[in-house]
Amino acid sequence: MPTVVLMDVSLSMTRPVSQDNSEEFQRKNLAVHGLNMLFEHMASNYKLEFTALMAFSSLWELLVPFTRDYNALQEALSNLEDYDKTCVESALNGVSSVVQQEWGSACPCQVVLVTDGSLGIGKGSLRHSLQTLKHRAEDKKFPLPFPFPTKMFILCVANAEELQVTGAMDNLEELLCLSGGDGQIFTTEGPLCMQSVQAMFGRLIDRAYSPFHAVLHCGNLTSDVQVFPRPEPVVVDEEVEPLARTVNSDLEIMGFIEIADISSPPVISRHLVLPIAVNKEVDEVGAGVNDELEEEASASQMAGKSPNFCVLLHGSLKVEGMVALVQLGPEWFGMLYSQADSKKKSNLMLSVFEPGPDPLPWLGKITHLGPISESAENPYGEDDSKSPFPLQPQVKRSYAQNVTVWIKASGLQTDVQKILRNARKLPDKTQTFYKELNRLRKAALAFGFWDLLKGVAELLERECTLLPDSAHPDAAFQLSHAAKQLKLASTGDSQYVAFDHNIVPMHTDFSS
């Protein structure tokens, strides 16, 4: 998930901060120190993250386009210049333009806004922008919400009390709400100093940039892995009291299945699965990386020589053309598979399914799947010429049935005439007569069309009286029997209106 860092370089960021020692810092210096800490952490633990750096005051400027070179980002921070007043709306327009140009409108993005809580004055200030939200022309709309999924984190180089006094906190909360509400406002705790700013950026790292480490299990084999990007909690809407469900740190492989059987399933997110060397020490938050390049290189060489189950699994899935079904939590599953970036490079990927016991209907319940050895015969055949999937549903799907629809009066008239035509050809058309009669009866019951049943019953009684002398005796009995059953159903009595009940032909002693 790419990140845009939006740095406030207005004049208010140059305000001095009194320290206990003789050295004096500007708020901008504290913000730069915090961002350097964030970039160092990402260089050590979030190397695959694309990050862009923008500066803004009344205008905005893209200092570093999306990159994984954190040295370039830190160098740009050290060369920041001071400009005029704050205009957050202009900066947000810049973010929207930069992200859409690079990633389009479908890729989720994180926006880290670093400011001092001074939101500008007069026209162009955040307060003025929020007040005029509902009085704008179509071509001058406020940039939030962005056209792409967004998480916005606002870091204020000020404490909450200062923001409350100036009224900036309410404006920032409204800004966060407009962005979608999926983010957080961070402020310093206690007096404004280097340590409080470090603690604030530390909370941001814990919230959004902490790596997700897990243990991958397959029988007696295990491997420490990192899942990137970090899987987000999923809220199940169907639950009475929706709770956010999170992926477990223990990932259990349930079994393996052919790629052709699982096909291209619907997923809610995709992640890289990267092996972690067991003997590699985890860097502390904010630790520099330049002084440890040699140590990291030697650790990587050692890790490359030690056997790793994750590497074995990746190679096996790639060669065999299979995927591994993995349990992420209670009644929550995903799949591991090999995805090729190019002809020579591929990665082990994790796709997360929707929570539930049967996320893929054609496989049935995941817990009901088992090894081939437990089957009486090979479900794939001796020569792999067949497949047990997709499973056939026990109940027919509504769209697989011939549903009776009466949109126009002509449709209803046609169905009634069909019954009457078959009635005049009894007993030769007995089966067809009762088939059409039961189809009309079920449709009338489904629509609550009781009068239709009564009307058709009267028509059948009339047909019975109009039968010619040459008619078969069985015809009169069948028509009277069908009319009686329809009249009973038209009363609404539960004994006769069962939807699954069918009117069967009356048994008589007449022979044709």
Side-chain angles (χ1 to χ4, degrees):
M1 188 185 298
T3 295
V4 178
V5 175
L6 204 51
M7 177 68 179
D8 185 354
V9 291
S10 61
L11 288 175
S12 61
M13 289 289 286
T14 63
R15 287 180 293 169
V17 177
S18 57
Q19 299 284 327
D20 294 336
N21 52 23
S22 57
E23 189 175 4
E24 190 176 82
F25 291 99
Q26 295 178 354
R27 298 195 182 215
K28 183 181 75 171
N29 302 134
L30 298 179
V32 168
H33 177 77
L35 285 175
N36 277 322
M37 170 183 160
L38 173 64
F39 291 153
E40 288 169 1
H41 168 81
M42 294 172 73
S44 300
N45 301 285
Y46 239 63
K47 297 178 181 179
L48 299 177
E49 182 86 341
F50 281 98
T51 306
L53 177 63
M54 296 175 62
F56 76 97
S57 55
S58 60
L59 302 175
W60 62 273
E61 179 184 1
L62 179 62
L63 299 178
V64 182
F66 285 100
T67 181
R68 288 172 174 166
D69 184 359
Y70 290 95
N71 289 328
L73 292 165
Q74 290 176 305
E75 183 178 351
L77 281 178
S78 63
N79 297 322
L80 288 177
E81 297 182 7
D82 303 324
Y83 292 93
D84 51 2
K85 69 174 186 176
T86 305
C87 183
V88 176
E89 181 176 349
S90 171
L92 295 178
N93 278 317
V95 170
S96 180
S97 173
V98 169
V99 172
Q100 289 187 84
Q101 184 177 0
E102 184 75 22
W103 303 99
S105 58
C107 180
C109 184
Q110 297 188 135
V111 178
V112 178
L113 172 60
V114 183
T115 182
D116 62 340
S118 297
L119 306 178
I121 55 173
K123 189 175 182 180
S125 67
L126 180 60
R127 186 173 289 106
H128 178 267
S129 297
L130 295 177
Q131 289 173 349
T132 58
L133 272 180
K134 299 179 181 179
H135 310 286
R136 297 184 176 219
E138 286 293 326
D139 58 336
K140 294 184 179 180
K141 281 192 171 182
F142 194 69
L144 293 183
F146 290 124
F148 46 86
T150 313
K151 278 189 176 181
M152 178 176 283
F153 300 101
I154 304 174
L155 287 89
C156 296
V157 188
N159 54 43
E161 291 78 10
E162 180 181 345
L163 297 178
Q164 292 287 0
V165 170
T166 59
M169 182 62 81
D170 294 336
N171 296 132
L172 292 176
E173 288 176 350
E174 187 175 353
L175 184 70
L176 187 65
C177 184
L178 287 173
S179 71
D182 197 5
Q184 191 174 340
I185 299 174
F186 295 91
T187 60
T188 59
E189 296 178 354
L192 188 58
C193 60
M194 194 73 74
Q195 290 75 19
S196 62
V197 172
Q198 284 180 344
M200 178 178 66
F201 276 86
R203 295 198 302 275
L204 169 67
I205 290 171
D206 293 339
R207 171 72 167 79
Y209 296 101
S210 58
F212 184 84
H213 292 162
V215 180
L216 185 62
H217 299 269
C218 182
N220 295 323
L221 299 174
T222 60
S223 176
D224 293 318
V225 296
Q226 177 182 351
V227 180
F228 179 88
R230 185 182 184 89
E232 296 293 332
V234 175
V235 178
V236 182
D237 295 334
E238 286 78 8
E239 296 182 1
V240 178
E241 294 183 0
L243 296 174
R245 301 182 63 176
T246 56
V247 175
N248 289 344
S249 57
D250 286 311
L251 308 179
E252 186 75 33
I253 292 179
M254 312 289 291
F256 302 89
I257 192 170
E258 298 280 351
I259 290 179
D261 289 333
I262 205 162
S263 189
S264 181
V267 299
I268 56 178
S269 61
R270 294 181 178 87
H271 310 265
L272 280 171
V273 178
L274 309 171
I276 300 176
V278 177
N279 59 345
K280 186 177 179 180
E281 296 181 359
V282 179
D283 295 332
E284 293 182 1
V285 171
V289 293
N290 295 332
D291 299 336
E292 299 177 358
L293 291 177
E294 294 182 1
E295 295 180 10
E296 288 188 1
S298 60
S300 299
Q301 292 175 359
M302 291 294 294
K305 294 179 181 179
S306 60
N308 191 291
F309 166 63
C310 189
V311 178
L312 171 65
L313 175 66
H314 180 201
S316 303
L317 295 177
K318 183 178 180 180
V319 172
E320 297 295 330
M322 302 185 80
V323 302
L325 293 176
V326 58
Q327 184 161 13
L328 310 177
E331 293 192 340
W332 195 7
F333 304 93
M335 68 175 182
L336 291 167
Y337 57 98
S338 175
Q339 183 176 26
D341 282 346
S342 60
K343 292 183 179 180
K344 295 183 178 180
K345 185 180 179 183
S346 61
N347 301 296
L348 184 62
M349 301 288 292
L350 169 67
S351 286
V352 179
F353 300 150
E354 288 281 354
D358 51 352
L360 311 180
W362 59 92
L363 296 184
K365 288 189 175 182
I366 301 295
T367 53
H368 289 181
L369 299 176
I372 295 178
S373 58
E374 291 185 358
S375 303
E377 60 180 18
N378 191 338
Y380 291 93
E382 296 300 328
D383 55 352
D384 289 342
S385 60
K386 61 180 183 178
S387 172
F389 306 106
L391 295 180
Q392 296 300 320
Q394 296 179 352
V395 181
K396 282 188 176 181
R397 304 297 184 192
S398 60
Y399 49 78
Q401 301 179 20
N402 294 324
V403 181
T404 302
V405 179
W406 295 320
I407 299 177
K408 297 181 180 180
S410 58
L412 175 57
Q413 184 179 358
T414 300
D415 287 342
V416 173
Q417 287 176 343
K418 196 181 299 183
I419 293 173
L420 295 178
R421 281 198 304 271
N422 289 310
R424 295 178 186 129
K425 296 178 182 180
L426 289 172
D428 296 337
K429 295 288 186 178
T430 299
Q431 296 302 323
T432 308
F433 170 74
Y434 279 100
K435 177 184 175 183
E436 294 297 330
L437 188 70
N438 282 313
R439 188 168 72 88
L440 181 135
R441 174 186 175 276
K442 285 188 176 183
L445 290 175
F447 299 145
F449 203 166
W450 313 109
D451 291 339
L452 174 63
L453 298 176
K454 188 176 179 180
V456 174
E458 292 174 353
L459 286 175
L460 294 179
E461 288 177 342
R462 181 174 178 274
E463 286 295 324
C464 185
T465 61
L466 297 177
L467 286 174
D469 295 338
S470 59
H472 195 284
D474 192 35
F477 286 101
Q478 298 297 344
L479 288 173
S480 299
H481 168 66
K484 180 181 177 183
Q485 292 296 319
L486 289 181
K487 280 190 174 182
L488 290 172
S490 68
T491 61
D493 190 341
S494 59
Q495 183 178 354
Y496 303 103
V497 296
F499 185 78
D500 295 330
H501 172 70
N502 285 323
I503 302 174
V504 296
M506 184 180 183
H507 180 70
T508 64
D509 295 332
F510 294 101
S511 59
S512 54

